[in-house]
Amino acid sequence: MSGKSRNFVRIKDLEEKMSDEKLTKHDIAYMKMAHEWAKLSYCKRKKVGALIVKDRRIISDGYNGTPSGFENVCEDEHGLTKWHVLHAEANAISKVAASTQNSEGASLYVTLSPCKECSKLIYQAGIKKVFYAEAYNDMTGLEFLKKAGVKVIQIKNDDGQ
């Protein structure tokens, strides 16, 4: 079986497994795109991608990295993430804020669940649903979003993405 067919079967299995949570083929596609976007990050420790979608249109995207104009090095000499590295969600929210779009009622697809700081930004931006692939080690951000009435859904991909 070719890699392409095998991947299709896995995604199909994922769709069936998650059907109870009302995931659509678009939800799965947007999450796959967020994984592709994560590959653009220059960070070595963790590559994270995010998409903001409204009315089935991508209105913003982001990945973790340094601010514009800074050297694209995310980690210090000890391998720790530098304090000024922006998270993928923060980049996507900043990008939409600088555009003619707004994120009120939108959905966020992010490869790593939001930290508590990004969760505050997500809520303030009016995002109503957060889809994430991998859980961040501190669940405070997800707990805050749930308490604030934001729908939080994990899309776990079997093929490691």
Side-chain angles (χ1 to χ4, degrees), residues 13-24 28:
D13 291 345
L14 178 63
E15 287 174 334
E16 289 169 10
K17 261 198 303 191
M18 300 302 246
S19 64
D20 294 339
E21 296 183 30
K22 307 254 187 295
L23 286 179
T24 68
I28 293 165

Side-chain angles (χ1 to χ4, degrees), residues 28-47:
I28 293 165
Y30 291 135
M31 184 58 75
K32 287 176 74 174
M33 292 170 73
H35 280 286
E36 287 301 313
W37 219 247
K39 294 175 185 176
L40 298 173
S41 173
Y42 289 94
C43 297
K44 293 177 183 167
R45 284 183 66 207
K46 185 61 113 175
K47 295 177 181 291

Side-chain angles (χ1 to χ4, degrees), residues 115-160:
C115 70
K116 52 189 169 187
E117 294 301 317
C118 287
S119 292
K120 293 187 288 187
L121 291 174
I122 290 164
Y123 177 71
Q124 282 298 107
I127 292 169
K128 298 298 181 202
K129 284 185 185 178
V130 174
F131 296 87
Y132 69 98
E134 183 184 337
Y136 184 59
N137 61 8
D138 179 357
M139 301 301 279
T140 310
L142 288 180
E143 291 165 10
F144 168 79
L145 289 170
K146 289 175 188 175
K147 185 176 180 181
V150 175
K151 188 164 183 161
V152 174
I153 303 157
Q154 185 173 22
I155 301 177
K156 201 162 188 157
N157 194 340
D158 289 338
D159 66 359

